Amino acid sequence: MTDLASQSTPPATPRTTPPGAPRRRAVPRPQRLSDATILLLLIAIVAVFSIVTPAGTFLSLSNAESILLTASQLLILSCGITFLLIAGGLDLSIGSITIFSAVVVAKVMGALAGTAAQAADFHYPNLGVAITVAIVCGLLVGAGWGAVNGLLAVKLRIPPFIATLATGGIVLGLASVWTNGQNVQNVPLPFQSSFGLGKLFEVIPWSIVIAAVVTAVFWVVLSKTRFGLHTYAMGANLEAARRAGVNVRRHMVLLYVGTGALCGIVAVLDVARFSTASITSHSGDALSAIAAVVIGGTSLFGGRGRISGTVVGALIPAVLQSGFVIMDVQPFWQNVAVGVVLLVAVYVDQVKIRAQERT
């Protein structure tokens, strides 16, 4: 990953744009081919499962909803990882931050909603306040841990791999100590019934709606704004971005803060859906998100990636899981399949880099 302190690549000659001319960033042809390849892979997987599974099981609205629900939380986390990898960063602590934020959401909501007697009658006089405060606390805690990661990696110049690996262990340990290793289950059930299991217009689950909104926002920011342009510039040539006037330290810290806030969003969705804060449910989120992002075409070496590819990369594990369940295949084969696809994606990425270096 890119080292903010030590990288000394000579700056690239900046390109100037005539006054008044709109800035347009054309998608390179290799990137378009990569996106098409990943999409074709997803379509091929869907086609195979459609053929080998009983009719009406895999290709059904209920199964499509299940796949999107499975992919929604991973997709939200993957959006943050996409930005970090493009800029040359990394975060291995997102699973632990999600768990800690979920514990905060569950405990705050349980403490403010009402008494135990009131909870027994499903009458929570302070439910609205409890939900609002709990959601805000969850987002702030997630963003706060993201800021810690950013300060360690940027200000203290600790390699992101080590910094986030360490904070991941610390955060998960603190959550376990706080809860004595037990899941937090005193979440008001109306929160689950109205939001966690609720649907927009009684059609689309709220988790899918929020994931779609988050993805759309991050897509616009990455592809249409100066912030996204600076993110690409940092990953492509950090020193050139710094000499061009980009505050690379502040920018990288903001990326970590944003990724932490996304962990808070996932924590809220998870507590709403399952009415509990689990201590173990998100332990593998970091590797899953990195795998989804890399499979989607984002380079591990920075400077290249797109949210559209991340969407497809996040859907592939969910489709594999659904297909294996319907076929009554052991779910462990999903890890094997995702691992194979990840290795192929990284190899193709390295081939592209070597080809670019020769030209």
Side-chain angles (χ1 to χ4, degrees):
M1 296 301 156
T2 304
D3 187 344
L4 291 176
S6 62
Q7 183 167 336
S8 58
T9 305
T13 303
R15 296 181 179 180
T16 58
T17 303
R23 283 192 167 188
R24 300 180 63 185
R25 282 174 282 170
V27 180
R29 186 170 182 270
Q31 181 67 59
R32 294 198 300 268
L33 292 176
S34 176
D35 290 348
T37 302
I38 299 301
L39 181 58
L40 288 175
L41 175 61
L42 176 61
I43 294 174
I45 295 174
V46 172
V48 169
F49 282 130
S50 302
I51 294 172
V52 300
T53 55
T57 55
F58 187 81
L59 287 182
S60 64
L61 290 178
S62 60
N63 190 54
E65 179 181 309
S66 176
I67 291 174
L68 293 176
L69 277 174
T70 302
S72 59
Q73 294 185 10
L74 177 61
L75 179 56
I76 293 173
L77 296 176
S78 298
C79 286
I81 296 297
T82 301
F83 271 74
L84 280 175
L85 287 183
I86 290 174
L90 179 67
D91 193 344
L92 297 177
S93 66
I94 56 175
S96 299
I97 294 177
T98 300
I99 291 173
F100 192 95
S101 301
V103 170
V104 170
V105 170
K107 282 188 171 291
V108 170
M109 197 176 300
L112 298 181
T115 64
Q118 292 168 333
D121 296 331
F122 301 104
H123 175 68
Y124 300 89
N126 306 318
L127 183 60
V129 174
I131 292 175
T132 303
V133 174
I135 291 175
V136 172
C137 288
L139 297 179
L140 290 178
V141 167
W145 281 118
V148 171
N149 283 334
L151 293 176
L152 290 175
V154 177
K155 298 296 184 181
L156 300 185
R157 302 179 181 180
I158 300 175
F161 180 89
I162 300 299
T164 58
L165 183 64
T167 54
I170 293 170
V171 173
L172 182 59
L174 291 175
S176 300
V177 170
W178 189 7
T179 62
N180 292 319
Q182 303 296 318
N183 296 340
V184 182
Q185 299 178 338
N186 59 335
V187 179
L189 291 179
F191 182 54
Q192 180 187 43
S193 59
S194 61
F195 179 68
L197 301 179
K199 297 181 178 181
L200 177 64
F201 304 127
E202 302 298 325
V203 176
I204 308 175
W206 282 110
S207 293
I208 298 176
V209 173
I210 293 175
V213 171
V214 170
T215 302
V217 169
F218 274 70
W219 178 82
V220 171
V221 172
L222 183 61
S223 61
K224 304 295 183 182
T225 68
R226 187 180 298 272
F227 188 89
L229 179 63
H230 291 172
T231 302
Y232 281 112
M234 288 171 57
N237 192 318
L238 186 66
E239 186 60 29
R242 179 185 290 113
R243 295 191 180 187
V246 179
N247 189 332
V248 296
R249 292 179 178 271
R250 182 181 65 185
H251 192 99
M252 187 63 78
V253 171
L254 287 176
L255 292 181
Y256 279 106
V257 171
T259 302
L262 292 179
C263 294
I265 293 176
V266 172
V268 172
L269 295 178
D270 199 62
V271 171
R273 184 179 178 185
F274 299 105
S275 193
T276 185
S278 174
I279 296 297
T280 59
S281 60
H282 294 276
S283 57
D285 280 2
L287 294 180
S288 298
I290 293 172
V293 171
V294 174
I295 290 172
T298 297
S299 176
L300 279 170
F301 307 99
R304 189 174 73 250
R306 299 179 72 196
I307 293 296
S308 57
T310 296
V311 173
V312 179
L315 285 173
I316 287 177
V319 170
L320 289 171
Q321 177 182 340
S322 175
F324 288 152
V325 169
I326 294 175
M327 294 176 61
D328 197 23
V329 176
Q330 288 184 339
F332 307 110
W333 284 105
Q334 175 194 346
N335 298 329
V336 176
V338 172
V340 171
V341 175
L342 178 60
L343 287 174
V344 172
V346 174
Y347 174 74
V348 171
D349 184 46
Q350 291 179 331
V351 170
K352 290 179 181 177
I353 292 176
R354 289 195 292 267
Q356 291 174 355
E357 291 175 349
R358 288 194 297 265
T359 58

